[in-house]
Every structure is written in C-alpha cells, then in structure tokens.
Amino acid sequence: MDPSKRRVVIAGNWKMNKTPAQAAELIGELKGAIREPACDVILCVPFTDLQTAVGLTSGTPLKVGAQNLHFEKSGAFTGEVSAPMLKEIGAEYVIIGHSERREYFGETNETVNKKIFAALEEGLKVILCVGETLAQRESGITREWVSLQVKAALCGIDQKQMKDIIIAYEPIWAIGTGKTATAGQAEEVCFYVREAVSELYGLEIAQGLTIQYGGSMNAKNAKELLMQYNVDGGLIGGASLKAADFAAIVGAAK
Ligand code: PGA
C-alpha cells in the first residue's frame, strides 16, 4: 500500500498528569489550536479525566482514549478499571502494554494479549506499545525482541480485528529522556514491526497498519520522524501536555 493512504494518527499520552480541572483547561486550548487536523488526533488521559475529556471533545476532531484496562469485565480486582467501564464512559481507544506498565506494574506479553482481547471485545480500539531497552539495543536483539512482543501480543487476534489496532514503537531509552531515536532508527524498527505483522497476517494487512513512533517526539523533530516510510504517526508523552507543542506535532503530520 502507498504509505500516503495509511491512517496517520497522533496520540497524546498524558500519563499521570492533569486533574479534571487541568484537563478541561488543556482541552480548551487544544480545541482552539487543532481545528481541522490532517490526521487523527487522540488524547489518552487518566481515568479520572475521561468523563471531562469525552464531554469537552464531543463534536470536535479530538478523540479520547484511556491508558490501560484490566482484562476481566468485573470482579474482585481492587483499583482496576475494565473495558466495559471505559466503553460506557465514552472512551474510543486504549493504550495497552506501555513500557511503564510493563516495568512498574508487572505487565507481561501474556497480560498484554489478554487486555487486547478484552478491549476489542468491547469495541475499543487499541494502541499496542512495544520497544526495546538500551541494553537490548546494544546487544543487537532489537529486531527479535520487538517482533516477539508484537507476535505475543497479537496471538489469537484475527485478521479482521487488526483494523482496530495501532502499534506504537517506543524505544524505552527514548521515553521521557529527551533522547529521541534518529529518524533512521525509528524507520528501521517500525519496519521490523510491519515485517512481524506481515508474517502473521500477510502483506496487505501489514501495509495498511498504522505504526507510530514514540519517545521524546516534539515539535522540532516530529516532521523528520513522520516523513519516514514506515512511521505513520506518533505517541507523544511530555510534549502532549502543552497545547502549542502538541498542535505543532499534529501540524507536522501531513
Ligand atoms: P515521551 O513519552 O514523549 O515523554 O518520551 C512517550 C510515551 O511514553 O508514550
């Protein structure tokens, strides 16, 4: 597929930032700054901001997502939030398998896979995160590692369900460090992601898949990263918390 036909998606990952009042303020600014984006724009906000975000973005091009879910629908899982809860509150997307969740909250390829099933079953769209550590990169196993993460996460997911999945390649060493992957490094690993998807589902589905780069993407480096053949968008942490910066990244995605 001609990459210009792939859906380009810029998503903000607010992480554990913004109270509902602060979220309302930022969304107000974003609505002013992002009027007719040339790409899809998603705000992945904390659970406690979802209701505010869904209300304030209705009728605008901004879409709303969560940052995690539990794979069970309900039950004795203190502190957790399920896919039906996210769906009912109006979230359209959910980030699954972010490296911070894998690192600090015991998420594994197996739980990531279960969470993807739970999200898709409820009609939520998924942003699946994969990426290598610096040690893995330096020992030369990035391709194997990332392809294993992709294949394990998608285990049992059928071809039709792939239309509701975006994959974000986020090198762990680049997240929140100000150390961005070079455009060449981002392109190379996004290609490995597409290659892994192609091995599972064939070339057509792989070519149609939206693959984002994430890791210190900002208003300055976005354009070059987004120009790469296999990079179809960005997952933005720090720079998504400032309306002008985030809007500039959205503007770079043409
Ligand atoms: P960063 O975070 O843009 O602050 O590096 C990206 C992410 O973790 O999704």
Side-chain angles (χ1 to χ4, degrees):
M1 184 195 266
D2 174 358
S4 67
K5 296 213 174 69
R6 277 186 217 132
R7 202 158 65 96
V8 175
V9 182
I10 301 291
N13 174 11
W14 289 10
K15 310 195 178 183
M16 195 174 72
N17 293 291
K18 305 291 177 188
T19 66
Q22 292 167 338
E25 194 183 332
L26 178 54
I27 291 167
E29 292 168 11
L30 289 169
K31 284 203 283 190
I34 303 171
R35 287 177 184 276
E36 285 177 3
C39 61
D40 284 7
V41 183
I42 309 168
L43 311 178
C44 296
V45 306
F47 292 136
T48 44
D49 292 342
L50 282 170
Q51 194 153 24
T52 303
V54 168
L56 292 177
T57 56
S58 124
T60 77
L62 307 175
K63 300 168 196 293
V64 174
Q67 301 170 10
N68 178 38
L69 49 63
H70 194 278
F71 50 78
E72 294 291 349
K73 285 185 197 305
S74 64
F77 301 100
T78 303
E80 293 293 314
V81 171
S82 70
M85 293 170 182
L86 296 180
K87 184 70 185 177
E88 191 174 317
I89 210 165
E92 203 177 322
Y93 287 82
V94 59
I95 295 175
I96 294 179
H98 190 280
S99 62
E100 286 153 15
R101 298 220 49 94
R102 295 182 195 249
E103 184 178 353
Y104 305 127
F105 304 99
E107 215 144 278
T108 62
N109 284 336
E110 192 188 348
T111 57
V112 166
N113 176 251
K114 286 182 172 175
K115 287 178 180 205
I116 294 177
F117 270 97
L120 295 178
E121 195 187 327
E122 217 53 49
L124 293 164
K125 297 181 185 114
V126 169
I127 299 176
L128 161 66
C129 300
V130 299
E132 82 288 2
T133 63
L134 189 57
Q136 288 162 341
R137 169 163 287 268
E138 284 172 349
S139 53
I141 61 165
T142 299
R143 187 182 201 158
E144 287 83 354
W145 180 261
V146 167
S147 93
L148 175 70
Q149 282 186 319
V150 168
K151 290 180 181 178
L154 298 179
C155 187
I157 299 293
D158 69 32
Q159 286 200 357
K160 277 196 216 117
Q161 293 172 300
M162 285 305 291
K163 71 174 187 338
D164 290 326
I165 295 183
I166 290 169
I167 301 182
Y169 163 58
E170 298 205 307
I172 295 171
W173 47 272
I175 294 179
T177 55
K179 214 175 144 188
T180 321
T182 63
Q185 287 170 325
E187 165 61 18
E188 182 185 17
V189 187
C190 288
F191 166 76
Y192 297 153
V193 169
R194 205 176 297 287
E195 172 186 65
V197 170
S198 175
E199 282 164 16
L200 292 176
Y201 301 102
L203 203 57
E204 201 182 321
I205 287 184
Q207 286 292 354
L209 176 74
T210 294
I211 301 178
Q212 299 173 316
Y213 167 79
S216 301
M217 195 190 265
N218 58 40
K220 284 207 185 95
N221 60 30
K223 196 166 176 193
E224 197 191 351
L225 288 160
L226 293 169
M227 264 165 43
Q228 303 308 305
Y229 181 87
N230 283 295
V231 180
D232 314 307
L235 182 56
I236 324 296
S240 72
L241 298 172
K242 289 200 182 115
D245 291 357
F246 190 63
I249 297 171
V250 170
K254 288 219 175 96

